[in-house]
């Protein structure tokens, strides 16, 4: 497979940022300072002895900040060394104190404080530089004129050129005054190597190190060194460990301690070391994949890994069933792990459920049940933790996924239910002791005999439960289907005018929000045109009643007039209503249901408040409940949802929901802006609404 995670090229840099450095000519050190300050460099280095902190006699100069810059110190055009320029920023610390008498400052006072308000300040600033194998300390004398002395303010900086250092090395710099009035400043810096500097033709040790690139070809890895044909060079891939190593490099061998070393084959050449995988997460994954725990004896084991790594280990208890392994800390403790070093746990006996967890950077990296290979698979045992206190006090708890359950206990866990039996087994010596010391002990108690005794009862209980569940499901199957679909409702009305049709549409939409499946001709005009009014109505009525639904007769003045015509003459006047008036077409089959006494339970009547009083409905149709809306909405909804009417509180909530949905349509119908209310004075009973 390809090596997409191969990050050596990223670590080395395919197109790194290259720094161009200032060149200093000559081997002499030098110093310069900010305008207004005067500074002087001692001719030779001094001993690096910072001494103790002493009280300041008054205002003093103190280093406040260190700043570095890389430069080249060149003896020839192509023969330079890397050098670190250091800038020390200074500020005035402390304050003048008014002397009470001359004796306070002594008979021979320091000339620098005879006239404190008009005196300049002087300081001896030490710069200490450490870069293996070199350590140097230089002394800088700085003087600040009185005009620049402002308490607590920066007065400028002094710059030292420069400390020579090796490419790729780590340097440490300290700065303090002599005598030392405050804690020294310190700075640690990792210097770049030849790849990050524009020094290929200036520093001899970099002549053999142009860009080192890496390319991948399938599973093969290519290291590309772009050097001239006449240049000799050496290349080393090494483990950052002690002792000889035999390396077979493939994509699984890239681990954090794998480093690359490149150097020119010249006397005393500087070797460039690159460890590009030290922080690479994929290399760390490879490391832990290759790591193994090995059990040597009952108590001793070791960690095999390609690299040294910070890690700690502890024992844990792995119960069957896939629950996480529970660390036995406390009573045991985490132990630091050293690769390839034998470690011991103070165990008396081994157990297949005992496992070793290895953590690194507070993350679980490795877990193995070392004793399972020799003692068999995991057992369904309970681990008892015994804690010993002063005066021979003892307490026991059983380790479970939810925690450690005290014994005896009234909890509902398995160990609590069997706590009495577990204590009996412990007292009779049937439990295996795994660990023991002055603070406590660990015991493994078998649960096999209790599990076998309960199998028969458990199977019987399961069979009874399955039978009862099957019966309940069969009984509720039809009910569940009906409840999921909602009861069917066919809404019939007379299209008195367009305003009344909008009111009917609002009612139908509101009812659809409940567990009802509403059919109304307003939403089926295309089907009605294709089938015909009578055929469509007959199909809808038959389907609704067959499904146990209900037909709703919504009475209006126009509907009452049509019913009266049918009851008097047996026919209605042709052309009295629009072509989509399904109510008029439906009376031919609705009336037989009422005349034959088959309407109760299958039909419900309704009318709107202020439009029609229920008493205005012909007597034949009042053999079924007729509700006035919205004043009687709860009763109306209860009749629609029978025989599964919801509880009264739920029914009231649904009634309020429908009422809120109807309110805008009712207001628009009864109080249109600038016009009298539509539908008034049409048919008998108009205006009798309550």
């Amino acid at each position: 497979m390809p090596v997409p995670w191969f990050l050596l090229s990223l670590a080395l840099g395919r197109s790194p940022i290259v720094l161009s450095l200032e060149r200093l000519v000559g081997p002499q050190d030098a110093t310069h300072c900010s305008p207004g300050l005067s500074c002087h460099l001692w001719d030779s280095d001094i001993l690096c002895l910072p001494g103790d902190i002493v009280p300041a006699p008054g205002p003093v100069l103190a280093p406040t900040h260190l700043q570095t810059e890389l430069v080249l110190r060149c003896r020839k055009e192509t023969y330079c060394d890397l050098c670190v320029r250091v800038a020390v920023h200074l500020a005035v610390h402390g304050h003048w104190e008014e002397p009470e008498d001359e004796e306070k400052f002594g008979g021979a006072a320091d000339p620098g404080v005879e006239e404190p308000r008009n005196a300049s300040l002087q300081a001896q600033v030490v710069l200490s530089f450490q870069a293996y194998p070199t350590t140097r300390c230089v002394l800088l004398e700085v003087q600040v004129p009185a005009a620049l002395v402002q308490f607590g303010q920066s007065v400028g900086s002094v710059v030292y050129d420069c400390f020579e250092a090796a490419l790729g090395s780590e340097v440490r710099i300290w700065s303090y005054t002599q005598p030392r009035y405050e804690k020294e400043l310190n700075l640690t810096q990792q210097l770049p190597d030849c790849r990050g500097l524009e020094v290929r033709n200036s520093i001899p040790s970099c002549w053999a190190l142009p860009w080192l690139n890496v390319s991948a070809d399938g599973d093969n890895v290519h290291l590309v060194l772009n050097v001239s044909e006449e240049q000799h060079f050496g290349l080393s891939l090494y483990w950052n460990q002690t002792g000889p190593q035999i390396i077979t490099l493939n994509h699984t061998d890239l681990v954090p301690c794998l480093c690359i070393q490149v150097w020119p084959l010249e006397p005393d050449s500087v070797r460039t070391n690159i460890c590009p995988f030290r922080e690479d997460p994929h290399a760390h994954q490879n490391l832990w994949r290759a790591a193994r725990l090995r059990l040597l004896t009952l108590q001793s084991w070791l960690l095999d890994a390609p690299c040294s790594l910070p890690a700690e280990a502890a024992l844990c208890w792995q119960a069957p069933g896939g629950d996480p392994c529970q660390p036995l800390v406390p009573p045991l403790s985490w132990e630091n792990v050293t690769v390839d070093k034998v470690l011991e746990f103070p165990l008396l006996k081994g157990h297949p459920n005992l496992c070793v967890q290895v953590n690194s950077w507070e993350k679980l990296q490795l877990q193995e049940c070392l004793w399972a290979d020799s003692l068999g698979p995991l057992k369904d045992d309970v681990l008892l933790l015994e804690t010993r206190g002063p005066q021979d006090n003892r307490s026991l708890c059983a380790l479970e996924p939810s925690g450690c359950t005290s014994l005896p206990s009234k909890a509902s866990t398995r160990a609590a239910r069997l706590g009495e039996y577990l204590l009996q087994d412990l007292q009779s010596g049937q439990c295996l002791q795994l660990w023991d010391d002055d603070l406590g002990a660990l015991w493994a108690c078998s649960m096999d005999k209790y599990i076998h005794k309960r199998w028969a009862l458990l199977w019987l209980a399961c069979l009874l439960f399955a039978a009862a569940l099957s019966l309940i499901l069969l009984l509720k199957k039809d009910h569940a289907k009906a409840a999921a679909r909602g009861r069917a409702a066919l809404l019939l009305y007379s299209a008195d005018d367009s305003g009344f049709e909008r009111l009917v549409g609002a009612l139908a939409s509101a009812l659809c929000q409940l567990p009802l499946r509403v059919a109304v001709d307003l939403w089926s005009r295309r089907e009605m045109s294709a089938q015909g009014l009578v055929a469509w109505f007959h199909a809808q009525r038959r389907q609704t009643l067959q499904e146990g639904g209900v037909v709703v007769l919504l009475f209006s003045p126009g509907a009452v007039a049509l019913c009266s015509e049918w009851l008097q003459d047996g026919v209605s006047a042709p052309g009295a209503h629009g072509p989509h008036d399904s109510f008029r077409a439906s009376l031919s089959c609705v009336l037989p249901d009422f005349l034959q006494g088959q309407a109760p339970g299958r039909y419900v009547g309704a009318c709107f408040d202020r439009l029609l009083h229920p008493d205005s409905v012909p007597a034949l149709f009042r053999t079924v409940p007729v509700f006035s809306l919205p004043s009687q909405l709860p009763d109306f909804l209860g009749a629609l949802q029978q025989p599964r009417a919801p509880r009264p509180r739920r029914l009231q909530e649904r009634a309020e929901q429908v009422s809120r949905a109807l309110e805008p349509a009712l207001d628009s119908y009864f109080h249109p802006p600038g016009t009298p209310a539509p539908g008034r004075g049409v048919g008998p009973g108009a205006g009798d609404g309550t």
Side-chain angles (χ1 to χ4, degrees), residues 58-317:
V60 295
L61 290 177
T64 59
H65 178 59
L66 290 176
Q67 189 173 355
T68 61
E69 180 184 0
L70 297 181
V71 296
L72 291 177
R73 170 169 283 173
C74 301
R75 294 165 180 79
K76 297 180 181 179
E77 180 67 23
T78 60
Y79 197 91
C80 303
D81 293 308
L82 187 65
C83 212
V84 180
R85 172 184 289 166
V86 182
V88 184
H89 296 265
L90 303 171
V92 178
H93 288 180
H95 58 278
W96 295 112
E97 294 184 358
E98 295 290 345
E100 296 180 0
D101 50 42
E102 250 185 337
E103 294 180 357
K104 185 171 183 179
F105 297 92
D110 190 339
V113 296
E114 287 182 359
E115 297 181 0
R117 302 290 181 182
N118 299 315
S120 61
L121 289 181
Q122 295 183 355
Q124 291 184 337
V125 180
V126 177
L127 281 177
S128 176
F129 181 86
Q130 180 178 347
Y132 181 82
T134 303
T135 299
R136 292 185 58 195
C137 283
V138 298
L139 182 65
L140 310 176
E141 290 187 339
V142 185
Q143 183 171 0
V144 180
L148 297 180
V149 176
Q150 297 182 10
F151 304 127
Q153 300 295 322
S154 175
V155 297
S157 61
V158 56
V159 180
Y160 171 74
D161 284 331
C162 57
F163 295 110
E164 294 184 8
L167 289 162
S169 63
E170 181 183 81
V171 300
R172 298 181 179 181
I173 304 171
W174 291 268
S175 178
Y176 51 89
T177 59
Q178 198 175 48
R180 188 159 65 98
Y181 301 119
E182 297 181 359
K183 185 178 180 180
E184 66 270 14
L185 294 179
N186 65 83
L187 174 67
T188 301
Q189 183 176 359
Q190 183 71 41
L191 300 185
D193 53 25
C194 299
R195 299 173 301 107
L197 300 172
E198 197 176 79
V199 294
R200 179 177 177 182
N201 298 322
S202 302
I203 299 179
S205 60
C206 293
W207 293 347
L209 184 62
W211 305 129
L212 175 61
N213 291 323
V214 178
S215 62
D217 181 14
D219 289 341
N220 298 318
V221 177
H222 304 288
L223 301 180
V224 181
L225 283 172
N226 185 18
V227 298
S228 60
E229 294 182 359
E230 64 274 7
Q231 178 65 54
H232 299 280
F233 63 90
L235 174 66
S236 173
L237 298 178
Y238 69 99
W239 298 100
N240 192 13
Q241 303 236 100
T242 58
Q245 299 285 336
I246 299 176
I247 302 172
T248 302
L249 185 62
N250 56 45
H251 65 279
T252 60
D253 288 327
L254 300 182
V255 290
C257 57
L258 178 63
C259 300
I260 298 174
Q261 188 180 77
V262 183
W263 69 97
L265 296 180
E266 297 180 0
D268 299 328
S269 60
V270 176
R271 298 194 177 196
T272 300
N273 300 311
I274 304 170
C275 299
F277 310 108
R278 187 174 299 162
E279 305 296 334
D280 179 39
H282 300 287
H284 281 271
Q285 292 177 9
N286 287 340
L287 169 62
W288 285 109
R289 289 193 190 102
R292 292 292 181 269
L293 297 175
R294 254 191 320 130
L295 183 65
L296 304 178
T297 65
L298 171 65
Q299 297 178 326
S300 61
W301 59 281
L302 61 80
L303 172 65
D304 286 333
C307 304
S308 297
L309 65 164
E312 54 183 6
L315 285 175
C316 65
W317 181 260

Side-chain angles (χ1 to χ4, degrees), residues 626-640:
V626 179
F627 302 98
S628 184
L629 307 180
S631 60
Q632 295 180 331
L633 262 175
D635 297 334
F636 174 65
L637 297 181
L640 292 184

Side-chain angles (χ1 to χ4, degrees), residues 502-503 506 657-671:
R502 286 193 295 271
L503 186 58
Q657 176 184 348
V658 175
S659 180
R660 287 193 298 270
L662 281 177
E663 185 175 353
L666 288 170
D667 290 343
S668 176
Y669 183 75
F670 288 107
H671 303 288

Side-chain angles (χ1 to χ4, degrees), residues 358-399:
V358 179
N359 281 11
S360 181
W361 304 111
E362 299 183 354
K363 182 180 179 182
L364 177 63
Q365 300 289 358
L366 191 62
Q367 175 179 310
E368 290 190 23
C369 299
L370 301 178
W371 293 269
D373 293 338
S374 58
L375 300 179
L378 300 178
K379 296 182 178 180
D380 194 12
D381 291 356
V382 171
L383 185 70
L384 299 184
L385 277 67
E386 178 185 349
T387 303
R388 297 168 183 165
Q391 300 179 353
D392 220 9
N393 291 332
R394 293 176 45 184
S395 62
L396 281 168
C397 67
L399 192 63

